[in-house]
Amino acid sequence: MAVRDIVTIPDSILYRKARKVTDFGKELQTLVDDMVETMRVAPGEGLAAPQVDVPLRVIVVEFGDEEDESVPLKLFPVVNPEITRFSKEQVTGTEGCLSIPDFVGDVDRSVSVVVKGMNRRGQPMRIKSSGWLARIFQHELDHLNGVLFIDRTERIWKLEGEPAQVIPTV
Ligand code: NI
């Protein structure tokens, strides 16, 4: 595994739609491993392949529980993910992004979403998520479509003093 460089704005790859994965071979396995390591080192709770300069529809998300720190983190690598259900109910939350260092913003997201996709071996999978995990999935899916959280907010601000760790970044 290797830590890859994280692309930041205004790199054009962040504004482009990523391609579907069709080859589940060794190159994809290395990409997923490297994305997991890069996300952990950053540190972040999610990462999309365009953020490591690869225009493919691959995301990794690692999250435990918002309220209970004793719940172990769960890792979700998802290939060709789609959100098949968005709850009508939305909630505002403060997000950061590893590709937009030091800035955060308030973004409205669905409270719960259903994500469909494939695991790293190409087998179908479906994840029901809510709360912060659902927010991470929505943020990462946006990355695959060239959309950034700053496109979805009217209020962004720079974190002063404290580094970005105070807000989970994805
Ligand atoms: Ni991001």
Side-chain angles (χ1 to χ4, degrees):
M1 292 211 277
V3 175
R4 300 197 188 187
D5 289 337
I6 294 178
V7 169
T8 55
I9 54 169
D11 195 302
S12 64
I13 196 167
L14 295 171
Y15 305 98
R16 290 205 301 265
K17 215 174 143 135
R19 294 193 312 270
K20 272 201 163 186
V21 171
T22 52
D23 183 347
F24 289 79
K26 204 177 154 200
E27 215 169 298
L28 177 72
Q29 304 311 316
T30 304
L31 172 65
V32 171
D33 287 341
D34 288 357
M35 284 175 65
V36 170
E37 191 169 354
T38 304
M39 169 180 67
R40 286 174 176 165
V41 167
E45 296 177 330
L47 193 68
Q51 292 182 277
V52 291
D53 207 24
V54 177
L56 289 175
R57 303 188 79 79
V58 180
I59 61 170
V60 295
V61 171
E62 191 167 50
F63 191 67
D65 187 291
E66 279 159 273
E67 275 128 48
D68 186 354
E69 280 186 11
S70 68
V71 173
L73 298 181
K74 200 170 170 195
L75 178 65
F76 303 94
V78 192
V79 178
N80 298 335
E82 283 174 71
I83 294 180
T84 55
R85 200 186 144 272
F86 290 89
S87 66
K88 280 210 184 97
E89 193 194 339
Q90 295 204 322
V91 63
T92 305
T94 306
E95 292 180 20
C97 178
L98 295 170
S99 296
I100 310 171
D102 301 331
F103 284 87
V104 295
D106 282 343
V107 186
D108 293 340
R109 301 280 191 188
S110 288
V111 170
S112 60
V113 295
V114 175
V115 179
K116 263 177 81 172
M118 290 176 224
N119 70 11
R120 59 192 296 169
R121 307 286 165 198
Q123 285 150 348
M125 62 187 293
R126 188 167 170 274
I127 304 154
K128 281 185 178 176
S129 64
S130 61
W132 197 265
L133 180 61
R135 176 173 296 276
I136 301 172
F137 278 122
Q138 289 169 84
H139 180 115
E140 301 313 332
L141 257 293
D142 272 354
H143 273 301
L144 302 184
N145 295 320
V147 176
L148 301 171
F149 84 82
I150 49 177
D151 301 321
R152 293 197 182 275
T153 181
E154 285 171 4
R155 197 167 107 75
I156 63 166
W157 65 95
K158 197 170 197 295
L159 287 175
E160 303 284 357
E162 285 289 303
Q165 276 90 314
V166 289
I167 309 280
T169 37
V170 285

